Amino acid sequence: MSSARHVPVMLQRCLDLLAPALAEPGAVVVDCTLGLGGHSEALLAAFPSARLVALDRDKEALRLSGERLAPYGDRATLVHAVYDELPEVLARLGIPRVQGVLFDLGVSSMQLDEADRGFAYAQDAPLDMRMDQTTGVSAAEVLNTYPPGDLVRILRAYGEEKQAKRIVSAVVREREREPFSNSARLVELIRDALPQAAKRTGGNPAKRTFQALRIEVNGELSVLEQAIPAAVRTLAVGGRIAVLSYHSLEDRLVKQVLAAGAATTAPPGLPVVPEQYQPRLKLLTRGAELPTDEEIAENRRAAPARLRGAERIREDAL
């Protein structure tokens, strides 16, 4: 896997958003989604006095980025953890508050490019999809063992798949004949199950089902629901958070957390808003920022990206 093939999404914009918080000596920045280390390397290079803490649940990603970030020595601390474990990781490292937090929520290029992980619908591979291959159930186990009602719910909620019922009834029929193990058979089944009209829109017809399975296997949305508020709480006043999302479910969740932090919690009608009800956050992006056409041309994986940022402007009320 060459790092040349991996172009970090909206890299300059992320650096610009975090920059005002990371200029001070001793600033700590957390990359919650290390992946191949593209964003992390850029953060270390751009902010020479900052210290980096980087998390990933994927041991192979940690090994590869460890090599990439080795020149930065003890400025970089890499930790095997899921990003909702951020408060525990910082407590172990004796870091009370941080100045910057970055989330890049896309599946890492490495996971998509390594055929045997089963993330990509474009090539045949074992249906695994676990980001941490040492734990949890695989996508094949989900397909082969979940009750039909649960599968329909997952495809609708996590894949926004309108044809969930058709796909699931085909899956249930097929898994009785022979359990699923590889991605090509699932892709073929989805193609056969969908009506003609549904196949004409929105790229590969298997895309939404694969997204839904990946989110379920890795508990991504429930982890994210914990992780974004936890990350905001770790920010020092003046600290900043930047979050890259790749589908509407993630983006909606991020938007809700940041918007809630930027809103007053005062009961309506108070002539003066007391300090404890004042907003904790200031939004740094108007809605979600999108990648430029040039960036999408250079890196097709940037196309669905949505970037949101916020700054911590006061402590939580006691």
Side-chain angles (χ1 to χ4, degrees):
M1 170 75 218
S2 75
S3 60
R5 222 160 72 223
H6 175 64
V7 185
V9 172
M10 295 180 82
L11 177 60
Q12 193 53 50
R13 191 64 192 110
C14 289
L15 295 176
D16 292 346
L17 265 181
L18 296 171
L22 299 181
E24 292 301 306
V28 177
V29 60
V30 182
D31 184 347
C32 287
T33 45
L34 173 63
L36 284 171
H39 283 110
S40 276
E41 185 177 41
L43 287 164
L44 286 162
F47 308 108
S49 60
R51 175 184 173 191
L52 170 89
V53 176
L55 280 51
D56 208 294
R57 61 166 85 181
D58 187 325
K59 288 191 164 165
E60 182 62 6
L62 286 162
R63 187 184 67 75
L64 290 168
S65 14
E67 292 169 10
R68 182 174 188 169
L69 302 178
Y72 294 96
D74 59 7
R75 286 182 57 209
T77 306
L78 310 190
V79 185
H80 182 231
V82 183
Y83 42 66
D84 64 342
E85 298 171 285
L86 175 61
E88 291 80 5
V89 169
L90 293 176
R92 277 205 309 273
L93 294 171
I95 299 172
R97 288 298 181 91
V98 302
Q99 282 64 46
V101 178
L102 174 68
F103 284 87
D104 178 5
L105 297 170
V107 181
S108 94
S109 300
M110 178 191 74
Q111 289 162 342
L112 287 171
D113 291 337
E114 289 196 348
D116 61 356
R117 301 291 286 269
F119 284 96
Y121 36 81
Q123 45 202 1
D124 191 21
L127 275 168
D128 189 327
M129 298 198 197
R130 288 171 302 163
M131 290 181 188
D132 179 350
Q133 290 186 299
T134 62
T135 181
V137 298
S138 68
E141 287 173 78
V142 170
L143 278 176
N144 293 328
T145 64
Y146 275 33
D150 286 355
L151 285 174
V152 171
R153 176 185 58 76
I154 288 164
L155 262 58
R156 281 191 180 145
Y158 298 160
E160 301 179 281
E161 174 55 80
K162 295 184 177 68
Q163 306 291 336
K165 271 198 156 149
R166 271 178 192 248
I167 292 169
V168 169
S169 55
V171 164
V172 170
R173 192 174 61 242
E174 279 293 308
R175 76 186 185 185
E176 280 165 13
R177 200 170 60 79
E178 187 194 336
F180 284 89
S181 61
N182 274 48
S183 56
R185 181 171 165 225
L186 178 60
V187 172
E188 197 178 330
L189 173 142
I190 292 167
R191 280 189 198 282
D192 292 347
L194 292 182
Q196 258 335 101
K199 286 187 236 191
R200 283 198 287 272
T201 55
N204 190 312
K207 184 167 94 175
R208 290 179 294 277
T209 298
F210 272 64
Q211 173 181 299
L213 286 170
R214 192 196 84 215
I215 290 173
E216 171 65 16
V217 163
N218 295 293
E220 285 174 47
L221 287 175
S222 49
V223 168
L224 191 61
E225 250 171 311
Q226 306 297 312
I228 301 291
V232 167
R233 285 193 295 273
T234 68
L235 287 176
V237 171
R240 290 174 164 224
I241 180 169
V243 187
L244 280 164
S245 313
Y246 293 81
H247 54 77
S248 56
L249 302 164
E250 288 175 342
D251 183 52
R252 196 176 310 146
L253 220 157
V254 175
K255 176 185 174 180
Q256 284 165 352
V257 174
L258 298 186
T264 170
T265 54
L270 291 185
V272 177
V273 176
E275 178 65 26
Q276 73 260 34
Y277 299 128
Q278 297 277 6
R280 308 280 158 254
L281 296 177
K282 179 178 84 180
L283 300 181
L284 299 171
T285 45
R286 291 178 63 116
E289 290 190 6
L290 312 180
T292 61
D293 293 344
E294 295 78 42
E295 183 168 12
I296 293 169
E298 186 187 329
N299 178 12
R300 62 187 171 74
R301 285 180 187 156
R306 303 283 178 272
L307 175 65
R308 292 180 188 272
E311 179 183 350
R312 180 73 177 253
I313 53 173
R314 52 171 61 77
E315 290 292 350
D316 283 334
L318 293 173

